[in-house]
Every structure is written in structure tokens, then in C-alpha cells.
Amino acid sequence: VSDTEGKYVRQMSTNPAERVSEVVWLDDNELLYTQTWNGYHNLYTIRAEAHSQERNLTQLRMHHRNLTPSPERDQIAYFRGRTDVMIFDKARVRSRQVHQDELWSFSNQSLHWSPDGRLLAFNAMRFFERDILVYDTSSEDVLNLTRTGVSENSPFFSPDGSFLYFSTDRIRPVYPRGSTEADIYRMALTPQPPDLRLNRFDTLFDESDEDDENDEAAPETRIEKENLHKRWERIASNRGMQTGPYVIQDGDNHIVIYGSSHDGSGANLWKTVLSPFDPPETSKIEGARTMSTDIRKAGDSYYLMIGGNIHTLDPNAGSVSQIEISHRFTRNLRDEFNQIFYETWANLEENFYDEDFHGRDWNAVREYYGQFLPGLNSRSNLRRLTNDMLGELNASHMGFASFGAEEQPYYRSSTQATGILFKNDDGFNVERILPGSNADKAGLNDEIQFDDVLRAVNGVRVNLEGNREKYFSSPDAGDEIELTFMRGRAEYTVRLKTQTSASLRELLYDEWMEQRQQKTDELGDRSIAYIHMKNMGSGELNRFKEELARQFVHREGLILDLRYNRGGNVHDEVIQTLSRKSYLKWQYRSGTPTGQPNFAPADYPIVVLINEQSLSDAEMTTAGLRELGIGTLMGMPTYRWIIFTSGISLVDGSFHRLPAWGVYTFEGDNLEQTGVEPDIRVRNTFLDNLRNNDPQLERAVEYILEQRTRE
């Protein structure tokens, strides 16, 4: 706890073996906060005066989160577990459950009180999207204000109680790919009469007492249910993503603060000032490099956190200033490791997608692995123990990572790849130059020949009996390299720029794809489009669409190759694209009739290739295509590695993944357990891979030609 200038700091006497995550002031000098108990965040209080002792209010196996004080700070709203909306009553020192809904325990949805402290707005999940609900503390009724199929996020009542502000992309759901085009909107809670200049003129002669005591009363917040959806108004429409908002009242003006990156300079807070008789004015808040509007008001001052540091905010000037706070504290790694272990277990206990934990007794797992905690001697031990515990769930997309300053390496080695490939059985003899590599771009194909022998790297003679790669690794690798080769009895030297080993792997992958393309063109007489997707990310989705535009209009069949696909989250767009059929033709006079849409893959035979290394979103894509009867699946069953995940950061920056959403067929099959079975099984052997044979691709081309012949 510090004064507002950061000069006087005192550390509260909380349990040093546990993690405190949220702290709020009550209506006096008392703090309410969440602290872990057996891994779960529970409620505690402590007074800010010296020598105060903390008091534990709850001991429940449910996370308590999003502590949100009412305007008078006599009530604190929060979420508990996966379903409970709670209100803590300061006077009674107890909490009551006011509503149950789908809240997603690992995902902090928003809570916000109306200025009169009567209404509580919050987000709850509907169809995997967020609606805005309001709880009335007087009537105890709950009203859904939005009821759409997309998400409305971060509800915030205007200080005058007339509007509810929020962010939304009105036409695109957040799931599965996330939101990238949300704008700031507001909803008039009751019909708002237009502001008239003539009415304002009359107020110039109003002689009422400006110091009327009623002026200090919080405005009543009312909601008229009829036609709420017609009272939406977009007030910040910028390119890209807008988040927040936070609203400040300045006379008749609303100062709306929100996160945005629309000017291309990265994340920053912006403000839009809404005045009754002036157009909106939007400007950047200088120095506020964040998308978070986690702003707090104290008296007439505003504070916010940026990059872990507390700042003051001047909303009128549009600037922030960091408060310099310095305080020394000690850490005990053994306590931290224990706390991290139990919180990781608790997060999985509350949020793992399968309530049966894949048949494991998760409590017994905790007890078994917990007995080894006293033996931890390093962060490496912690990683091993925690990952072994998580492994008991036999689930994909799982993992625990932790990195501490105490194990920072003295130096790291980097690899200097060139694109010159050497023989597998004679490691210093040149086999070829990889197309597209730096060696290829340097034109070394004319200088370096097959079977030339590498003799020196940067002037260092190589040991032909040793490890070749050690000569291409260095803690201070430059971007240029000098190589000496021998041909016959003569030596020669070449110089070129280096590249990363990762870029070399991608070039080898691209070469493999190009070979599949050439084989398809050869066997199908250039009548079948071939597209391979390495993963289900945005880049590969765009390349998939580009290849459709380049190839498909000239061909009558498609092979979509999802073998070795590592997953991602673009299944819906791939499936929607492949499902398109022609519905009409249009034609300029005497021109060529052209179908609509231009790209209609479903007009022709489609084969989707899968194998034992098609995983994650590749499995969801193929399962969706099978359910819709689009195309023929060919190859081998998929990997059975399909859960959608979130992740949680822990007290020291450690991180664990959290498989939170399962994927099921309409029959109830869990794809994590069953995978996807092809319609036609074709096996590629290890020997096929060594010889660059591809029976699966050959059968796919043959099948499409057969289908076209039948048609």
C-alpha cells in the first residue's frame, strides 16, 4: 500500500506462501483481496494500518475473481467458479449468490455497477459469445440487454446513468477466430430526447440554486426494455480493434476512453469526446501504450496500470504520468514452486473440458504428485513434476512452462544455415543446393558441384571425421560466412549470407509441396488443383484462397492436402469455402458465360488427404467436411489431438495451457478420443517417404478422374 505519490510504501502481512491477485478498497481503510487457498483464489480482508492481520473469509474449491466495488464501496460484486455471480456485503461480512450463468472460470468477464449502485451489468456466455446481462438489486430480476449471436464486451454505465457503453463487432462472432474489427457502441437505456439549442438558451435564465443538495445525489438509472436494439449508436468507428470502454462525465460531455491500434503505431489508449452540439473529437492519449482500460477513480483523480506500473491519467489533457514506486521484497522459490503446482492443479480441476478427467481421479493425482514437492531442487524439477502430473490426463494441447532468472544461460548458440545440402552418408560432400535458399539466390549453383568436399568454414579447417554442424554454430553468429571446398585436388572459396535453420526447414517443406503439385499435374494432366495447408493459421488460409484463385478456375477437381497439418483455428472459413456451389451464370453480350460464385469447389470432385500426423484444427476441418458430405476423405486416421485451449499465467510468469473446449460430433463422439476415419484408407509407408513415393496422392488423382468419368 502506497500514498498516491509513491513515497511511503508498506507491505501488508499476507501469507508469504500464497499468491495475492486482486485487491480493492472497501469503504474505510480495509482491503478486500483474493489469495490462493489450496490453489484456489478465495476472499481475504486486511486493514491498511500497521500490524494488522489478514482474515480469511472463504475456503472454497472455486476461484473468486473480478472484484468490483459499488459506487459507495459497501458492496463488492465478483464471480465465483464457473457459474456464480456474487455480491459481498461489507456490513454483514458475507456474500450472496445473485445469479447463475455460463461464465467460464478462466476468462474474466466484465462487471460494472450503475452510478446509483442499483444495477449490475456483466457478461455471460451464449452460443460461445458474450451477451450483456443486468441484475437489478431491488427486484432481483436479470435482463439480457443484447441477445445477439455475436459478442458485446466490457459493459460500462455512463456516469449520468443514461447510456451503457460496450465494444462489439456486430456482424462477426468472436469464436472461433477471435475479434479483430470491434468498435465502441453505446445503448440508450431509455429513449433520449434530442438536444435543442432553444432549450439550452432557456437555461441561461435559470436562477435555481446551483448548490442544491440534490445535485450530489447519484442519477437514477432506468432501463426501458422496448426497442433496446434500436437504440444502439456507434461512437468510435476506427480501423481494426477497439476495446474498453471507460467513460468520464465532464459537464454535458462524455469522455470515452478505449484501447485501439488504428493509426498503425501499436496499442494505445484513445479518447473520443461526445458533446451535445459538436461533432465527436478523437485523439490519442500520449504515453498510454496499452489496450487495457483498467482505470480507477479516487476523488477527482484517475489511475491506470501500464506495463506493470501505476500511472496518473489526465483525461482532459490526454496524457499519463508514471508514479515512481520503489519497494524491496523477498521471494522464496520453494514457496513459489509449491503455490504454482497447486494453482495449476486447481485451474485444471475447475476448467478442464471433460468433467470426468479422461477417467482419472484428479484428486488422487494431486495427492500422489504433491508428495514429491519437498524434493524439488530447481525450476527444472518443477517443470518435470508439473508436466508429469498434467500428463496423467492423457490430453492434447497440454503443457507447463516456467523460466526464471536463476537459470538464464551465459550464452546461446545460433545456427548459420546456407542452403547447401550435404549427403546423408558422407556428411561433408555436397549433394545439392536447395531452391530458394541464400546459396541459390547467390548463384552458387554454377560454382558448387555435386560431390565437392567442404574443407574449411570461416578459415577453420574441418575434421572430416567430426560433426559438421558444429562449424555452423556460434554464440555470436554473423550474417555472412566463408566456405572452402575441394574439387579433385584444387580448393576454392565462396562467400554468402546465412539464414536460420528454421527458414531452411520451411524451404524443404515448400519443396515437398512443389513436388506434390508437379505429381498432381503430371498424373491429372493439369486438370486437378492441388493445395497443401501446413497449418490452420491465417497465413495458410490466405494462401489456400490465393491458390484457389490461381488454380481452380482452370481445373475440374481439387485435392486439399491436410497431411502433417499442425492445426490452428480457421476450420470454419475453409469449410465454408469448400462448400460453395454455383447457383447462376452471368454473361456480357457475346461474352463467356461465368458462374457465380467465381470459385465453387463443390461443383467438382474434392479429395481431402489426411494421415496420422493431421492434428488439431485439421481434424475439426475434416470432421466438419464429413458431416456436411463435402468431398471424400482419403489416407489414414488422424492423430486424435483436438481440444481448443486457453492458457493461464501464474505468479512468476510461469504458464500452463488449459484445454477448455471439447469437439464433438452430432452423435456425441469426442474427436479427442476418436479422431477422424477416412472414407478410403490408403497407407504411405516409411519406405515410400524415403523414396519420395506418394500412394495416397496417386490414389486421390485416380479417384477424381474416376468420378469425372462417371459424371
Side-chain angles (χ1 to χ4, degrees), residues 101 117 195 228 273 315 323 329 470 524 579 584 642 700:
D101 219 306
D195 283 301
L228 272 171
V273 180
I323 299 174
F329 65 96
K470 77 175 184 178
S579 66
L584 284 174
I642 171 60

Side-chain angles (χ1 to χ4, degrees), residues 41 46 112 240 246 275 307 347 358 366 383 511 528 546 587 605 678-679:
H41 293 266
I46 192 169
H112 192 251
Y246 186 95
S275 301
N347 290 337
H358 284 183
R366 175 184 186 270
R383 285 192 293 266
E511 183 181 55
I528 301 171
E546 290 167 1
Q587 178 181 6
D679 300 310

Side-chain angles (χ1 to χ4, degrees), residues 282-350:
T282 297
S283 58
K284 179 186 283 190
I285 298 178
E286 296 301 328
R289 306 283 298 177
T290 179
M291 291 289 281
S292 172
T293 53
D294 188 15
I295 299 171
R296 297 289 184 267
K297 181 180 181 182
D300 294 327
S301 300
Y302 296 90
Y303 302 87
L304 77 159
M305 190 81 75
I306 303 175
N309 296 304
I310 301 174
H311 292 65
T312 58
L313 166 67
D314 186 334
N316 291 309
S319 62
V320 296
S321 178
Q322 182 176 334
I323 299 174
E324 298 294 338
I325 300 177
S326 178
H327 179 70
R328 300 181 67 85
F329 65 96
T330 59
R331 297 170 60 189
N332 182 302
L333 285 184
R334 179 170 300 281
D335 286 343
E336 276 196 6
F337 288 174
N338 290 351
Q339 191 279 329
I340 288 169
F341 174 88
Y342 286 115
E343 185 176 350
T344 299
W345 179 91
N347 290 337
L348 268 296
E349 190 280 328
E350 191 164 81

Side-chain angles (χ1 to χ4, degrees), residues 299-420:
D300 294 327
S301 300
Y302 296 90
Y303 302 87
L304 77 159
M305 190 81 75
I306 303 175
N309 296 304
I310 301 174
H311 292 65
T312 58
L313 166 67
D314 186 334
N316 291 309
S319 62
V320 296
S321 178
Q322 182 176 334
I323 299 174
E324 298 294 338
I325 300 177
S326 178
H327 179 70
R328 300 181 67 85
F329 65 96
T330 59
R331 297 170 60 189
N332 182 302
L333 285 184
R334 179 170 300 281
D335 286 343
E336 276 196 6
F337 288 174
N338 290 351
Q339 191 279 329
I340 288 169
F341 174 88
Y342 286 115
E343 185 176 350
T344 299
W345 179 91
N347 290 337
L348 268 296
E349 190 280 328
E350 191 164 81
N351 296 287
F352 187 64
Y353 86 104
D354 178 20
E355 62 186 17
D356 192 42
F357 295 93
H358 284 183
R360 298 295 291 166
D361 183 339
W362 193 231
N363 288 296
V365 169
R366 175 184 186 270
E367 296 308 312
Y368 175 76
Y369 284 92
Q371 68 179 318
F372 300 111
L373 287 171
L376 296 185
N377 290 317
S378 67
R379 196 172 297 272
S380 176
N381 291 165
L382 173 68
R383 285 192 293 266
R384 176 64 180 270
L385 180 69
T386 308
N387 277 307
D388 282 356
M389 177 183 71
L390 298 179
E392 294 284 349
L393 290 171
N394 192 26
S396 66
H397 297 77
M398 189 75 83
F400 168 80
S402 182
F403 306 94
E406 79 281 356
E407 57 177 10
Q408 288 287 331
Y410 182 70
Y411 65 83
R412 298 177 184 273
S413 291
S414 300
T415 299
Q416 296 174 291
T418 63
I420 302 170

